[in-house]
CSV table of all heavy atoms in Angstrom, one decimal:
chain,number,residue,atom,x,y,z
Y,1,ALA,N,27.7,-132.0,2.1
Y,1,ALA,CA,26.4,-132.4,2.6
Y,1,ALA,C,25.5,-132.7,1.3
Y,1,ALA,O,24.8,-133.7,1.3
Y,1,ALA,CB,25.7,-131.4,3.4
Y,2,HIS,N,25.6,-131.8,0.3
Y,2,HIS,CA,24.8,-132.0,-0.9
Y,2,HIS,C,25.3,-133.3,-1.6
Y,2,HIS,O,24.5,-134.1,-2.1
Y,2,HIS,CB,24.9,-130.8,-1.8
Y,2,HIS,CG,24.2,-129.6,-1.3
Y,2,HIS,ND1,24.6,-128.3,-1.6
Y,2,HIS,CD2,23.2,-129.4,-0.3
Y,2,HIS,CE1,23.9,-127.5,-1.0
Y,2,HIS,NE2,23.0,-128.1,-0.2
Y,3,ASP,N,26.6,-133.5,-1.6
Y,3,ASP,CA,27.2,-134.6,-2.3
Y,3,ASP,C,26.7,-135.9,-1.7
Y,3,ASP,O,26.4,-136.9,-2.4
Y,3,ASP,CB,28.7,-134.6,-2.4
Y,3,ASP,CG,29.2,-133.5,-3.3
Y,3,ASP,OD1,28.4,-133.1,-4.2
Y,3,ASP,OD2,30.4,-133.1,-3.2
Y,4,ARG,N,26.7,-136.0,-0.4
Y,4,ARG,CA,26.2,-137.2,0.3
Y,4,ARG,C,24.8,-137.5,0.0
Y,4,ARG,O,24.4,-138.7,0.0
Y,4,ARG,CB,26.4,-137.1,1.8
Y,4,ARG,CG,27.9,-137.2,2.3
Y,4,ARG,CD,28.0,-137.4,3.8
Y,4,ARG,NE,27.3,-136.4,4.5
Y,4,ARG,CZ,27.9,-135.2,4.9
Y,4,ARG,NH1,29.1,-134.9,4.5
Y,4,ARG,NH2,27.2,-134.4,5.6
Y,5,LEU,N,24.0,-136.5,-0.2
Y,5,LEU,CA,22.5,-136.7,-0.4
Y,5,LEU,C,22.3,-136.9,-1.9
Y,5,LEU,O,21.2,-137.2,-2.3
Y,5,LEU,CB,21.7,-135.5,0.0
Y,5,LEU,CG,21.7,-135.2,1.5
Y,5,LEU,CD1,21.1,-133.8,1.7
Y,5,LEU,CD2,21.0,-136.2,2.2
Y,6,ALA,N,23.3,-136.8,-2.8
Y,6,ALA,CA,23.1,-136.8,-4.2
Y,6,ALA,C,22.1,-135.7,-4.6
Y,6,ALA,O,21.3,-135.9,-5.5
Y,6,ALA,CB,22.8,-138.2,-4.7
Y,7,ALA,N,22.1,-134.6,-3.9
Y,7,ALA,CA,21.2,-133.5,-4.2
Y,7,ALA,C,22.1,-132.3,-4.8
Y,7,ALA,O,23.1,-132.0,-4.3
Y,7,ALA,CB,20.5,-133.0,-3.0
Y,8,TYR,N,21.6,-131.7,-5.8
Y,8,TYR,CA,22.3,-130.8,-6.6
Y,8,TYR,C,21.6,-129.4,-6.6
Y,8,TYR,O,20.4,-129.4,-6.6
Y,8,TYR,CB,22.6,-131.3,-8.0
Y,8,TYR,CG,23.3,-132.6,-8.0
Y,8,TYR,CD1,22.6,-133.8,-8.1
Y,8,TYR,CD2,24.7,-132.7,-7.9
Y,8,TYR,CE1,23.2,-135.0,-8.0
Y,8,TYR,CE2,25.3,-133.9,-7.9
Y,8,TYR,CZ,24.6,-135.1,-8.0
Y,8,TYR,OH,25.3,-136.3,-7.9
Y,9,ILE,N,22.4,-128.3,-6.6
Y,9,ILE,CA,21.8,-127.0,-6.6
Y,9,ILE,C,21.2,-126.7,-8.0
Y,9,ILE,O,21.8,-126.8,-9.0
Y,9,ILE,CB,22.9,-126.0,-6.2
Y,9,ILE,CG1,23.4,-126.2,-4.8
Y,9,ILE,CG2,22.3,-124.5,-6.3
Y,9,ILE,CD1,24.7,-125.4,-4.5
Y,10,VAL,N,20.0,-126.2,-7.9
Y,10,VAL,CA,19.3,-125.7,-9.1
Y,10,VAL,C,19.4,-124.2,-9.3
Y,10,VAL,O,19.7,-123.7,-10.3
Y,10,VAL,CB,17.8,-126.1,-9.1
Y,10,VAL,CG1,17.0,-125.5,-10.3
Y,10,VAL,CG2,17.6,-127.6,-9.1
Y,11,ALA,N,19.3,-123.5,-8.2
Y,11,ALA,CA,19.4,-122.1,-8.1
Y,11,ALA,C,19.6,-121.6,-6.7
Y,11,ALA,O,19.3,-122.3,-5.8
Y,11,ALA,CB,18.1,-121.4,-8.7
Y,12,THR,N,20.2,-120.4,-6.6
Y,12,THR,CA,20.5,-119.8,-5.3
Y,12,THR,C,20.0,-118.4,-5.3
Y,12,THR,O,19.6,-117.8,-6.4
Y,12,THR,CB,22.0,-119.9,-4.9
Y,12,THR,OG1,22.7,-118.9,-5.8
Y,12,THR,CG2,22.5,-121.3,-5.0
Y,13,ASP,N,20.1,-117.7,-4.2
Y,13,ASP,CA,19.7,-116.3,-4.2
Y,13,ASP,C,20.6,-115.5,-5.1
Y,13,ASP,O,20.3,-114.3,-5.5
Y,13,ASP,CB,19.8,-115.8,-2.7
Y,13,ASP,CG,18.6,-116.1,-1.9
Y,13,ASP,OD1,17.6,-116.5,-2.5
Y,13,ASP,OD2,18.7,-116.0,-0.7
Y,14,SER,N,21.7,-116.0,-5.5
Y,14,SER,CA,22.6,-115.3,-6.5
Y,14,SER,C,21.9,-115.1,-7.8
Y,14,SER,O,22.3,-114.2,-8.6
Y,14,SER,CB,23.9,-116.1,-6.7
Y,14,SER,OG,24.7,-116.2,-5.6
Y,15,GLN,N,20.9,-115.9,-8.2
Y,15,GLN,CA,20.2,-115.8,-9.4
Y,15,GLN,C,19.0,-114.9,-9.3
Y,15,GLN,O,18.2,-114.8,-10.3
Y,15,GLN,CB,19.8,-117.1,-10.0
Y,15,GLN,CG,21.0,-117.9,-10.6
Y,15,GLN,CD,21.9,-118.5,-9.6
Y,15,GLN,OE1,21.5,-119.1,-8.6
Y,15,GLN,NE2,23.2,-118.2,-9.7
Y,16,LEU,N,18.7,-114.3,-8.1
Y,16,LEU,CA,17.5,-113.5,-7.9
Y,16,LEU,C,17.2,-112.5,-9.0
Y,16,LEU,O,16.1,-112.4,-9.4
Y,16,LEU,CB,17.6,-112.8,-6.5
Y,16,LEU,CG,16.4,-112.1,-6.0
Y,16,LEU,CD1,15.3,-113.2,-5.5
Y,16,LEU,CD2,16.7,-111.2,-4.9
Y,17,ASP,N,18.3,-111.8,-9.4
Y,17,ASP,CA,18.1,-110.7,-10.4
Y,17,ASP,C,17.9,-111.3,-11.8
Y,17,ASP,O,17.7,-110.5,-12.8
Y,17,ASP,CB,19.3,-109.8,-10.4
Y,17,ASP,CG,19.3,-109.0,-9.1
Y,17,ASP,OD1,18.3,-108.8,-8.4
Y,17,ASP,OD2,20.4,-108.5,-8.8
Y,18,GLU,N,18.1,-112.6,-12.0
Y,18,GLU,CA,18.1,-113.2,-13.3
Y,18,GLU,C,16.8,-114.0,-13.6
Y,18,GLU,O,16.6,-114.5,-14.7
Y,18,GLU,CB,19.3,-114.1,-13.6
Y,18,GLU,CG,20.6,-113.3,-13.5
Y,18,GLU,CD,21.8,-114.0,-14.1
Y,18,GLU,OE1,21.6,-114.9,-14.9
Y,18,GLU,OE2,22.9,-113.7,-13.6
Y,19,VAL,N,16.0,-114.1,-12.6
Y,19,VAL,CA,14.7,-114.8,-12.8
Y,19,VAL,C,13.6,-113.8,-12.5
Y,19,VAL,O,13.7,-112.9,-11.7
Y,19,VAL,CB,14.6,-116.0,-11.8
Y,19,VAL,CG1,15.6,-117.1,-12.2
Y,19,VAL,CG2,14.6,-115.7,-10.4
Y,20,LYS,N,12.5,-114.0,-13.3
Y,20,LYS,CA,11.3,-113.2,-13.1
Y,20,LYS,C,10.6,-113.5,-11.8
Y,20,LYS,O,10.6,-114.7,-11.4
Y,20,LYS,CB,10.3,-113.5,-14.3
Y,20,LYS,CG,10.9,-113.1,-15.6
Y,20,LYS,CD,9.9,-113.5,-16.7
Y,20,LYS,CE,10.5,-113.3,-18.1
Y,20,LYS,NZ,9.7,-114.0,-19.1
Y,21,LYS,N,10.0,-112.6,-11.2
Y,21,LYS,CA,9.3,-112.8,-9.9
Y,21,LYS,C,8.2,-113.9,-10.1
Y,21,LYS,O,8.0,-114.7,-9.3
Y,21,LYS,CB,8.6,-111.5,-9.4
Y,21,LYS,CG,8.0,-111.6,-8.1
Y,21,LYS,CD,7.5,-110.3,-7.6
Y,21,LYS,CE,6.9,-110.5,-6.2
Y,21,LYS,NZ,6.3,-109.2,-5.7
Y,22,SER,N,7.5,-113.8,-11.3
Y,22,SER,CA,6.5,-114.8,-11.6
Y,22,SER,C,7.0,-116.1,-12.0
Y,22,SER,O,6.3,-117.1,-12.1
Y,22,SER,CB,5.6,-114.2,-12.7
Y,22,SER,OG,6.4,-114.0,-13.9
Y,23,GLY,N,8.3,-116.2,-12.3
Y,23,GLY,CA,8.9,-117.5,-12.6
Y,23,GLY,C,9.6,-117.5,-14.0
Y,23,GLY,O,9.1,-116.9,-14.9
Y,24,SER,N,10.8,-118.1,-14.0
Y,24,SER,CA,11.6,-118.3,-15.2
Y,24,SER,C,11.9,-119.8,-15.3
Y,24,SER,O,12.2,-120.5,-14.3
Y,24,SER,CB,12.9,-117.5,-15.1
Y,24,SER,OG,12.6,-116.1,-15.1
Y,25,PRO,N,11.9,-120.3,-16.6
Y,25,PRO,CA,12.2,-121.7,-16.8
Y,25,PRO,C,13.7,-121.9,-16.7
Y,25,PRO,O,14.5,-121.2,-17.3
Y,25,PRO,CB,11.7,-122.0,-18.2
Y,25,PRO,CG,11.8,-120.7,-18.9
Y,25,PRO,CD,11.6,-119.6,-17.8
Y,26,LEU,N,14.1,-122.9,-15.9
Y,26,LEU,CA,15.5,-123.4,-15.8
Y,26,LEU,C,15.6,-124.8,-16.1
Y,26,LEU,O,14.7,-125.6,-15.8
Y,26,LEU,CB,16.0,-123.2,-14.4
Y,26,LEU,CG,16.0,-121.8,-13.8
Y,26,LEU,CD1,16.6,-121.8,-12.4
Y,26,LEU,CD2,16.7,-120.8,-14.7
Y,27,ARG,N,16.6,-125.2,-16.9
Y,27,ARG,CA,16.8,-126.6,-17.2
Y,27,ARG,C,18.1,-127.2,-16.6
Y,27,ARG,O,19.2,-126.7,-16.8
Y,27,ARG,CB,16.9,-126.8,-18.8
Y,27,ARG,CG,17.2,-128.3,-19.2
Y,27,ARG,CD,16.9,-128.5,-20.6
Y,27,ARG,NE,15.5,-128.3,-20.9
Y,27,ARG,CZ,15.0,-127.9,-22.0
Y,27,ARG,NH1,15.8,-127.6,-23.0
Y,27,ARG,NH2,13.7,-127.7,-22.2
Y,28,PHE,N,17.9,-128.2,-15.8
Y,28,PHE,CA,19.0,-128.9,-15.1
Y,28,PHE,C,19.5,-130.0,-16.1
Y,28,PHE,O,18.7,-130.8,-16.6
Y,28,PHE,CB,18.5,-129.5,-13.8
Y,28,PHE,CG,19.5,-130.3,-13.0
Y,28,PHE,CD1,20.1,-129.7,-12.0
Y,28,PHE,CD2,19.8,-131.6,-13.4
Y,28,PHE,CE1,21.1,-130.5,-11.2
Y,28,PHE,CE2,20.7,-132.4,-12.6
Y,28,PHE,CZ,21.3,-131.8,-11.6
């Protein structure tokens, strides 16, 4: 489904412990 939309995952709940509650910078 993501491939058909050409939409790509930036983050999932799997990264919850690796980002700050207030926000962490991620680079795609």
Side-chain angles (χ1 to χ4, degrees):
H2 294 154
D3 289 343
R4 283 194 306 275
L5 296 170
Y8 302 93
I9 298 170
V10 174
T12 70
D13 281 345
S14 296
Q15 285 74 48
L16 188 73
D17 293 338
E18 296 192 28
V19 297
K20 297 174 187 167
K21 186 175 183 183
S22 60
S24 293
L26 303 183
R27 178 166 294 149
F28 179 99

